[in-house]
Structure formats: C-alpha cells, structure tokens
Amino acid sequence: MGEVTNVEEYQAIAKEKLPKMVYDYYASGAEDEWTLAENRNAFSRILFRPRILIDVSKIDMSTTVLGFKISMPIMIAPSAMQKMAHPDGEYATARAASAAGTIMTLSSWATSSVEEVASTGGGIRFFQLYVYKDRNVVAQLVRRAERAGFKAIALTVDTPRLGRREADIKNRFTLPSNLTLKNFEGLDLGSMAEAEDSGLASYVAGQIDRTLSWKDLKWLQTITSLPILVKGVLTAEDARISVESGAAGIIVSNHGARQLDYVPATIVALEEVVKAAQGRVPVFLDGGVRRGTDVFKALALGASGVFIGRPVVFSLAAEGEGGVRKVLQMLRDELELTMALSGCRTLREITRNHIQADWDA
C-alpha cells in the first residue's frame, strides 16, 4: 500500500485490521444510515468563492476556544472505547492532540481514566459527560475531571436512549473482556454484560438517565465551575435555550449520525444554530469532517471550530499515535492551503461570502 495522502484512506486500513465487531461499532450509524452518508454528502453541496491576488505568504490558523489558545480550529471529538482500536487507546490520542497543539475531548466511556489521560503530560483537554441515573456518580466524575486538569465539560444531550445501530445488534456488540470503562471501574459500572442485542444499548438503558432535562444543565453548573458545552444541538430553538440556560458553548452534532436517523447533516443545521446564538456563545461542529475544505466551510458558516471523531479511531487503529498525528497534520495542511487559495490569511478573514451553498437563493 502506498503512502496515506488523505484522512479518508484510514478507514479502509482500519477495516482490514480490526475485528468485525469493533470496526462495525466505529463505522456504523443509526438505522438506514441516511444521516451517516448525508453528514459527508452535504459538504459537497457547498462551493467556494475564492478571492485572488491577496498576499497569502503568511497564514495564521491559531485561535482561542473558551480562552484557551490552540494551533488550529480542529479538535478531537469524544469517541468511546479507543483501546478497542489500538492498545494505547486514549493515551495515544491525548499525546497526538497535545503534540498538534489542540484540544482532545475524552469520552465518559473511555477505556482509560481521566487520571491516566492526564498522566500523559500537558495539553488542553475537555471531558464529555453522560449523565448517569446516580447523580453521585456524575458529581464524583466531574470532580475527578476537574482535579485531573480538564478544562471544560461537553454535556452530551442527544442520548436519553441509544440510537438503533443495527450492526451492533447483529454483532451483539460488547466491550472486549480485557477492557473496561475505566472512569467507572471502581463504581461497579465499568463492565458491559452480553445482551440479546447490543450490549451498549442495554448498558445505556440501565445506567443513563432518560429524565435529563434543562434543569440538569443548571444543576451541573452548581457542582462545577468548568464551562459547559452543550453537545447535540441541531435547532435554533435549542440553541436559544442553551444560551439562556448558561451554556458556555454549543456543539452542533448528530452524534456521528448514530442516534436519530434523518436528522440533517450538521453542516446544514449549523447556520440556523449560529444565527440563534447571536454571537453570545461560540458554536462548534462535529460530523463528517474529512478535509481541510470541510473545516473552512464550517468556519465560513459561523463555526468557531470543528471536532473530528471517526478519523481519529480509524487512524489510531491503522498506525497508533502516529496515525492520529498524521490525520491532524493532513487536516491542518489542507486547511492552510484552502485558506491561501481562498485569499484568507487568518480565521477572522473567512466569511460567508467565501462560500456559496446550494440552499442560498
């Protein structure tokens, strides 16, 4: 096999390397997987309006997220159980993010604990939170993340129940027996029983709180001083309530198309959320980002940055830490080139006028 030249190529390598149950878990979406394909396809319906004859000899991609300076507006989304992809799991991802000068978000369902990830050294890290029925477990976890130096909480709000992922049902997905959900190990919540269908769906049904509502966002603010990002917003209505409820930011996300099928692609939903937020909080996007051109399009539509998920686990499976580093580098290089060829020297110079979407009149 020749050299990997783009992010997408890692998926095929991962498919060859990983057990079917594990690959299917990472790769699949909900039900018909319409949104899964649409998350990618929607980017192709946005074209550039490049400006020429601008001195682009110096390109600055740096930005700040919640006051933290990062090298580029490309960050790592929370993906569960990364040791299924590679023995180094979240350790490798954390080191790669830190080497790239960007933010890693650690999943609640990581196969490495917040303390273990903190032990890999410096770097800005966010913690993705699922709200368990037992609120003492939640409070304890948030405190541990704070103590371990995590800088924000990404509250996942689109998972009162797990979406119907038919590949996981067919494979009777469960966490391999040599691994545990490390953040819950001492709480007897670290293991996942075999089930008739998806072990993860059964785990969620048993542990995750379906009563989660806006009042819980308020409650979370009483137990932590960390800024809270609301992850899973797809509408203007919920963007407004997020801001009113004290969210520090919004992540436009459809959970990698793994929850409700036939929701719009995140790049399509982005603009209405940005408009509703009225600049009061930053808005981020995840879902379907595979190219620097995708990042530019999100920024042009008002995003303050993007998070990448599957490219991380696929490159991790293929080449460990080096793979994740390469994905971040390729996206960085592509974004820099897109900016230069569009006539933008800083992220601030990227405007709505630099793109034309198929929904523009």
Side-chain angles (χ1 to χ4, degrees), residues 225-239:
S225 57
L226 292 179
I228 299 163
L229 299 169
V230 177
K231 177 180 181 284
V233 174
L234 290 170
T235 63
E237 297 90 321
D238 285 337

Side-chain angles (χ1 to χ4, degrees), residues 68-352:
F68 299 100
K69 200 165 171 36
I70 55 175
S71 69
M72 59 180 174
I74 302 162
M75 299 164 281
I76 293 184
S79 299
M81 305 179 265
Q82 292 180 13
K83 281 187 182 175
M84 293 195 308
H86 188 279
D88 295 344
E90 293 84 2
Y91 290 86
T93 303
R95 289 192 293 256
S98 152
T102 193
I103 294 165
M104 173 196 181
T105 316
L106 182 71
S107 171
S108 276
W109 295 334
T111 37
S112 313
S113 67
V114 289
E115 293 83 4
E116 287 172 332
V117 168
S119 78
T120 64
I124 304 151
R125 304 196 180 97
F126 292 173
F127 181 70
Q128 176 271 335
L129 181 67
Y130 281 118
V131 176
Y132 279 59
K133 289 174 182 173
D134 182 346
R135 293 309 159 90
N136 293 326
V137 166
V138 179
Q140 204 176 319
L141 195 52
V142 168
R143 269 200 300 278
R144 281 172 55 199
E146 277 184 321
R147 271 204 303 272
F150 284 68
K151 301 300 187 201
I153 302 288
L155 175 67
T156 295
V157 295
D158 58 13
T159 315
R161 297 171 58 173
L162 202 71
R164 184 174 175 84
R165 305 167 191 176
E166 292 175 4
D168 292 349
I169 295 169
K170 283 189 174 70
N171 295 331
R172 304 217 166 162
F173 173 82
T174 188
L175 186 59
S177 58
N178 60 316
L179 301 174
T180 59
L181 300 180
K182 266 285 161 68
N183 287 314
F184 302 98
E185 210 175 30
L187 305 162
D188 294 332
L189 299 169
S191 61
M192 198 180 297
E194 287 269 355
E196 280 305 291
D197 46 25
S198 155
L200 187 63
S202 303
Y203 181 84
V204 168
Q207 302 298 341
I208 302 304
D209 197 339
R210 294 183 186 185
T211 74
L212 187 69
S213 69
W214 291 107
K215 71 178 185 327
D216 297 292
L217 176 54
K218 291 283 193 207
W219 168 74
L220 208 49
Q221 291 165 50
T222 68
I223 67 159
T224 183
S225 57
L226 292 179
I228 299 163
L229 299 169
V230 177
K231 177 180 181 284
V233 174
L234 290 170
T235 63
E237 297 90 321
D238 285 337
R240 280 191 284 272
I241 304 173
S242 297
V243 174
E244 285 155 16
S245 302
I250 290 169
I251 303 174
V252 175
S253 174
N254 53 34
H255 210 113
R258 296 158 78 75
Q259 284 298 100
L260 178 62
D261 202 13
Y262 297 98
V263 295
T266 48
I267 194 68
V268 173
L270 175 62
E271 202 162 21
E272 80 166 66
V273 172
V274 167
K275 282 177 176 157
Q278 293 179 317
R280 290 185 289 175
V281 300
V283 175
F284 305 95
L285 171 140
D286 70 30
V289 174
R290 301 291 181 273
R291 285 279 188 190
T293 49
D294 299 335
V295 181
F296 186 102
K297 289 169 185 179
L299 298 174
L301 285 165
S304 293
V306 304
F307 290 87
I308 56 166
R310 288 186 181 90
V312 171
V313 290
F314 291 147
S315 60
L316 185 62
E319 293 172 9
E321 182 187 337
V324 182
R325 281 183 183 235
K326 180 143 193 209
V327 156
L328 291 168
Q329 187 62 48
M330 286 189 296
L331 288 172
R332 182 190 175 89
D333 292 344
E334 289 177 6
L335 175 60
E336 183 176 36
L337 184 58
T338 305
M339 286 173 68
L341 295 177
S342 295
C344 299
R345 295 161 292 199
T346 63
L347 301 185
R348 296 193 60 141
E349 288 186 355
I350 301 173
T351 69
R352 185 63 171 78

Side-chain angles (χ1 to χ4, degrees), residues 7-17 23 314:
V7 167
E8 203 78 270
E9 289 174 353
Y10 277 117
Q11 182 160 353
I13 302 170
K15 187 172 188 176
E16 276 188 6
K17 281 203 167 183
Y23 172 79
F314 291 147

